[in-house]
Amino acid sequence: MAEVLAEGYNVFDTAKSPSGTVKYLSAPADVIALIQSGKLSEHILLVQGGTTTFLAPALSMGALGVITMSGAPESHLGILSREFQTPCVMTAYLTSSESRYVVGATDPSHFDEIAKALDGRKVRLDCTDNEVGRVVADD
Amino acid sequence: MTTTEGKKATYKKRYEEGDDGLRFQDLTYTGNFVGLEPVTDGIKGDKMLKARAKSGVLEKVSKDDVLNGQFSIDELNDLNNYLAWNIWDVLVMRATEGVSGMIPRQEYEILAFMHEFYRWPEILRMTTNEVGPQGVMDIGASARREIGTKVNSVHDWCIGAVGFGMGRCGLLALEAIGPDDYVAESNEILKFMQRVLWGKRQDGYILNSQDRYRCRIHEEDFLEQLTAQVETLEPGSPKHGAFTQFNAATELLAFLHHYDNRLGLGDTGPYELPDGNLLILRDLFVNEEIYHWSDVSEDAKLPHAYTLAMIIDPEKMGLEEIRVNDISTTFTRPKNYIEAIIGGAVFAREKWDTPMGEVYPIKIDELGDHLGRVQQATLKLYTKTSKMCRRDLIWNGQYVYYIDMILPHLRKAGTYEKACRDYDLWEIDQRVSNYYYDITKRGFAQETVPSKIFSGAGYLPFSENADLRSSKGRWL
């Protein structure tokens, strides 16, 4: 079985299992640049927040899959990824690390660690479980 | 193959009196019930709150009760406790979502909460004086024969849950007010909310959670006019894809247009159809003319609202529970209902006051043009928003809450212009203006207030000594 790099909340259960290179997006300018590059469909998008607005044009233009470092299926991004049927793993944490997201008490190093570990990795999202979404190594 | 294959729909059990519903989350709620059994989410949570109430205000109430001029202290406290739990029920998991990266939402939210609590009472009182208590109930009732109207669950709920509940909670957390201050103003807000919601539902309840998360407000003959337009959608077909893609893209723009909150989205239902399928009606507001950033939607020639009729086959997804919650959002178990959509229709309403007779259907095969314009407006609004400074984003967001949450009611009452002219609706109260500099100190907006709001700990009850006539007696 392929290595599970990260796990989090599964936003909705789906047989879709998109594969792509993780692209960490840290600012709106990154999102706009990605859209303009024409390479949106090559990437699984990694973002810190679990809100909709930050990823708006990427979702609208057909993002393959999303990983967030905070948020839950009831958040706006959770709702939208379900409506778009874009597989989404939220509040993902590295299976190799003890660090976990805690509302209002998470050090920036937590997000840095996840971004560093996943950015550029070829991964596949496994969202068949009702509750747990998995980020699986695909390289 | 999905995980739901082979499962039978069991959702109708949720409507049996003895059923406690499913748990959508493991967390429990304490609020003002310290020392008592923790309260759950969902149907069971509603039952627990009703059982703990000291008055009958959470049960079905009569028209005379609603027309009555004010609540007693017990009724105010029961509503305070119920709304606090209801807020937790629909929003606590959203508390995990962290920073937007785009819009400082927690900052604008807390400013708007406090602004609403200070400023809405006199504006809602003026509106009640203009149209009378029955007129306020009629505003709610107008939603029964309209689609694309913001007189909906989320706006109506916000009057009390946000303006009173979270506004008072924020001011208590800031120690700007005490628990027994502004009793009369609290009553004014909650009465307005109760009247609108009661008039809309017409079944004695005011909130969807009191009715096992159903918001079945439309008259049958009105619904039949809409369902007559529904086209069959084969899951996996291009037509199904066009409908669901349009739904998602438009919903996204509605969120963005309303600064990442749910005022752009309004679901009603589930309505059970004669063939056993379920209908959800979804209003998506993508062009709100009072916002200056609506120029992107004007340029794209988008209507005020699109309304989608979605037919869901409960057997196809093995539906176990469906909730249309009080912030107008549909959640199901299993979570994925998109693949179970087997029919759909789309309608457009050009302006907020376009007569219902002029609301027109759009064939699903013709959605491509609309989708392109929705995407164009989304990219344009995103680019525009990303260039705004933090202060503009915060105050814009503040207006979306403070103005939009009561805008539909003022419009229907014909008092919006008067509120702008005579009550300086778009001005910012000096107290709130000054709080702008306090909300980022010691994590007030990002930690203190969310913690008090989501845990329920901040919704302090009115004491036995509270006087219904009290405003703020002292500033010590």
Side-chain angles (χ1 to χ4, degrees):
Chain A
M1 185 170 171
E3 183 188 4
V4 177
L5 302 174
E7 289 183 345
Y9 298 117
N10 184 22
V11 170
F12 66 97
D13 42 294
T14 176
K16 280 188 181 178
S17 187
S19 172
T21 306
V22 174
K23 177 84 173 171
Y24 176 53
L25 302 167
S26 65
D30 296 344
V31 179
I32 293 170
L34 177 61
I35 302 286
Q36 290 173 339
S37 74
K39 295 182 178 175
L40 177 64
S41 61
E42 295 175 16
H43 296 288
I44 302 291
L45 309 181
L46 174 64
V47 294
Q48 181 177 322
T51 72
T52 295
T53 44
F54 181 78
L55 272 179
L59 285 170
S60 195
M61 302 294 177
L64 275 184
V66 174
I67 306 165
T68 76
M69 296 184 242
S70 53
E74 291 78 7
S75 69
H76 296 169
L77 181 54
I79 293 166
L80 260 301
S81 67
R82 181 191 65 203
E83 301 293 354
F84 276 109
Q85 294 287 283
T86 305
C88 182
V89 179
M90 302 194 87
T91 309
Y93 58 87
L94 299 172
T95 52
S96 59
S97 170
E98 296 295 311
S99 183
R100 296 291 181 270
Y101 175 75
V102 179
V103 179
T106 303
D107 191 87
S109 63
H110 171 79
F111 304 115
D112 294 341
E113 183 186 21
I114 297 174
K116 192 175 175 188
L118 296 183
D119 193 27
R121 286 292 299 264
K122 182 91 185 298
V123 303
R124 185 173 58 76
L125 300 186
D126 178 347
C127 297
T128 52
D129 186 276
N130 283 332
E131 303 300 327
V132 180
R134 296 182 173 87
V135 181
V136 181
D138 199 30
D139 49 14
Chain B
M1 184 168 33
T2 70
T3 53
T4 61
E5 194 160 296
K7 286 188 178 175
K8 290 269 185 198
T10 54
Y11 77 99
K12 285 188 181 176
K13 288 184 181 172
R14 306 291 86 82
Y15 307 133
E16 292 172 6
E17 195 175 335
D19 190 84
D20 285 341
L22 304 182
R23 301 285 68 79
F24 279 23
Q25 56 182 306
D26 297 329
L27 303 172
T28 55
Y29 175 83
T30 299
N32 286 327
F33 301 108
V34 179
L36 298 179
E37 183 189 351
V39 184
T40 71
D41 71 304
I43 294 168
K44 186 179 178 187
D46 165 68
K47 286 182 179 180
M48 294 175 84
L49 266 291
K50 284 173 178 163
R52 291 177 187 183
K54 289 183 177 173
S55 72
V57 76
L58 303 181
E59 305 296 337
K60 289 187 175 181
V61 292
S62 71
K63 185 175 181 179
D64 284 344
D65 291 330
V66 180
L67 289 172
N68 191 8
Q70 62 181 358
F71 294 110
S72 67
I73 295 295
D74 278 348
E75 288 174 326
L76 288 175
N77 280 332
D78 287 340
L79 284 168
N80 181 47
N81 284 333
Y82 194 89
L83 289 169
W85 165 78
N86 182 294
I87 290 163
W88 170 87
D89 184 41
V90 297
L91 292 178
V92 69
M93 289 303 288
R94 213 197 77 187
T96 62
E97 69 192 13
V99 296
S100 155
M102 179 87 144
I103 293 173
R105 204 178 62 218
Q106 284 135 326
E107 288 85 343
Y108 88 60
E109 283 180 338
I110 184 56
L111 288 170
F113 299 161
M114 298 189 287
H115 205 192
E116 291 165 0
F117 188 79
Y118 278 144
R119 293 292 332 273
W120 279 0
E122 66 170 352
I123 293 164
L124 298 179
R125 187 187 313 128
M126 174 273 285
T127 299
T128 304
N129 288 342
E130 289 283 326
V131 301
Q134 179 64 52
V136 178
M137 293 171 75
D138 292 343
I139 290 169
S142 70
R144 297 176 65 79
R145 300 193 72 83
E146 290 197 57
I147 51 175
T149 173
K150 284 186 170 180
V151 179
N152 61 11
S153 290
V154 62
H155 281 77
D156 305 346
W157 174 90
C158 282
I159 301 170
V162 181
F164 160 75
M166 297 196 218
R168 182 169 171 269
C169 183
L171 288 164
L172 287 167
L174 195 64
E175 298 179 1
I177 68 170
D180 288 347
D181 291 333
Y182 297 109
V183 186
E185 287 86 348
S186 299
N187 220 321
E188 198 76 57
I189 299 175
L190 287 172
K191 257 297 157 191
F192 198 95
M193 177 195 76
Q194 185 199 37
R195 286 168 176 161
V196 169
L197 284 163
W198 196 97
K200 184 180 74 183
R201 292 189 61 94
Q202 305 273 321
D203 66 354
Y205 286 134
I206 58 174
L207 298 168
N208 301 343
S209 57
Q210 292 175 288
D211 185 31
R212 295 166 187 259
Y213 299 88
R214 291 177 288 189
C215 181
R216 301 175 300 172
I217 61 164
H218 290 305
E219 311 285 358
E220 205 162 308
D221 64 312
F222 178 77
L223 281 177
E224 285 170 4
Q225 294 171 36
L226 303 179
T227 53
Q229 304 288 333
V230 166
E231 298 178 56
T232 301
L233 298 173
E234 184 69 32
S237 67
K239 208 166 183 170
H240 187 275
F243 180 79
T244 54
Q245 173 78 3
F246 178 77
N247 166 51
T250 309
E251 189 171 326
L252 177 59
L253 178 59
F255 274 132
L256 186 57
H257 211 92
H258 292 79
Y259 270 58
D260 207 0
N261 68 53
R262 292 186 201 181
L263 294 178
L265 166 71
D267 284 357
T268 68
Y271 304 97
E272 189 174 339
L273 301 176
D275 61 5
N277 291 323
L278 299 176
L279 166 69
I280 294 286
L281 286 173
R282 172 166 300 160
D283 295 318
L284 297 167
F285 301 95
V286 292
N287 188 352
E288 179 47 75
E289 64 190 36
I290 62 164
Y291 305 136
H292 64 74
W293 54 91
S294 289
D295 57 351
V296 301
S297 294
E298 284 295 329
D299 292 348
K301 298 192 175 4
L302 295 181
H304 173 62
Y306 290 106
T307 299
L308 278 72
M310 295 190 295
I311 310 293
I312 296 169
D313 179 348
E315 294 299 334
K316 192 173 181 59
M317 65 182 292
L319 182 64
E320 297 171 274
E321 182 166 337
I322 180 165
R323 295 184 189 175
V324 175
N325 68 20
D326 286 294
I327 52 173
S328 287
T329 315
T330 300
F331 288 104
T332 57
R333 290 293 182 272
K335 297 170 190 170
N336 190 1
Y337 63 80
I338 302 296
E339 292 173 342
I341 294 174
I342 57 163
V346 179
F347 304 87
R349 186 171 195 164
E350 285 301 324
K351 300 285 182 189
W352 72 267
D353 57 352
T354 297
M356 264 311 297
E358 295 174 25
V359 172
Y360 58 91
I362 303 167
K363 289 285 179 196
I364 293 173
D365 285 343
E366 293 165 9
L367 282 178
D369 167 58
H370 290 267
L371 176 63
R373 289 189 275 128
V374 165
Q375 289 174 322
Q376 172 198 331
T378 302
L379 187 55
K380 212 166 171 181
L381 182 53
Y382 186 87
T383 307
K384 180 194 275 264
T385 309
S386 71
K387 290 176 181 170
M388 290 184 192
C389 69
R390 183 174 179 276
R391 192 182 183 107
D392 282 353
L393 289 168
I394 288 175
W395 288 116
N396 287 348
Q398 189 277 149
Y399 284 125
V400 173
Y401 261 38
Y402 163 72
I403 303 283
D404 203 321
M405 285 177 182
I406 58 169
L407 175 68
H409 315 97
L410 302 191
R411 278 172 164 166
K412 286 280 184 190
T415 58
Y416 173 68
E417 296 299 335
K418 185 178 173 70
C420 292
R421 186 185 64 240
D422 298 344
Y423 290 77
D424 291 321
L425 179 64
W426 283 80
E427 267 300 344
I428 293 169
D429 190 279
Q430 272 192 41
R431 292 165 290 187
V432 176
S433 193
N434 289 336
Y435 297 157
Y436 176 84
Y437 299 99
D438 291 325
I439 56 170
T440 51
K441 292 175 185 166
R442 296 175 293 282
F444 184 73
Q446 299 236 335
E447 292 165 41
T448 307
V449 172
S451 153
K452 288 187 180 290
I453 283 174
F454 292 126
S455 71
Y459 303 87
L460 304 181
F462 297 102
S463 79
E464 290 177 357
N465 299 323
D467 190 310
L468 286 173
R469 296 165 298 181
S470 286
S471 184
K472 185 170 172 63
R474 63 190 78 89
W475 197 322
L476 299 174

